[in-house]
Amino acid sequence: MSARDEAARTLFATVFMLGQSWRNLLDRMLEPAGLSARQWMLLVAIETFGGEPPTLTQASDRFGASRQAAKQLALRLEDAGFVRIVPDPRDARTLRLHLTERHREFWDRHADEHREGLAALFAGVDDASLATAADVATALLAVAREAEGRS
């Protein structure tokens, strides 16, 4: 096995283990609020659309899950008061996901705690290595989404 193949194999396995560890940590952190890591990720995906509430399909594509899975998460988030699922005024068959004031208030109230948690996750990693890791992860995500047919 070449050095490149070995590095790719190690990175592939490490990314899976890292993702699971981060999901476990996030689940524990969000549990008191009644949220899960997957629900949080859907909220993040919705936020990336800026001012225009995304359709359920757009959000599920950005989130990287099926429309059905994203809808189940969105329904739970709606029950918790974090989103509103609203038919599009131009086409009632299309559902749009609107973030609520409760969503904003929750994250504003916990912003410092989340910044500290994020900093702790990357403690011991120098700025240059972190920037390189971010670039590599972004490139790998683009390749994976291309392979999925979801660029």
Side-chain angles (χ1 to χ4, degrees), residues 28-117:
R28 258 197 317 269
M29 184 181 86
L30 294 171
E31 185 178 24
L35 292 173
S36 70
R38 289 183 52 79
Q39 289 169 326
W40 174 79
M41 281 304 304
L42 181 58
L43 290 170
V44 169
I46 295 167
E47 284 181 343
T48 65
F49 287 91
E52 176 73 15
T55 66
L56 179 59
T57 301
Q58 289 170 322
S60 67
D61 286 346
R62 180 85 37 103
F63 175 58
S66 71
R67 187 179 184 283
Q68 180 180 357
K71 185 171 185 184
Q72 291 303 312
L73 291 170
L75 287 169
R76 284 189 226 123
L77 287 167
E78 186 174 48
D79 289 343
F82 286 89
V83 299
R84 285 183 307 114
I85 303 172
V86 179
D88 186 296
R90 296 174 298 257
D91 181 354
R93 297 169 300 175
T94 300
L95 300 176
R96 291 204 173 266
L97 303 178
H98 295 255
L99 297 173
T100 65
E101 188 60 29
R102 181 180 192 300
H103 167 265
R104 182 55 32 224
E105 289 170 357
F106 177 83
W107 295 112
D108 286 349
R109 198 169 52 249
H110 294 90
D112 289 340
E113 177 184 334
H114 294 144
R115 270 192 294 278
E116 290 168 9

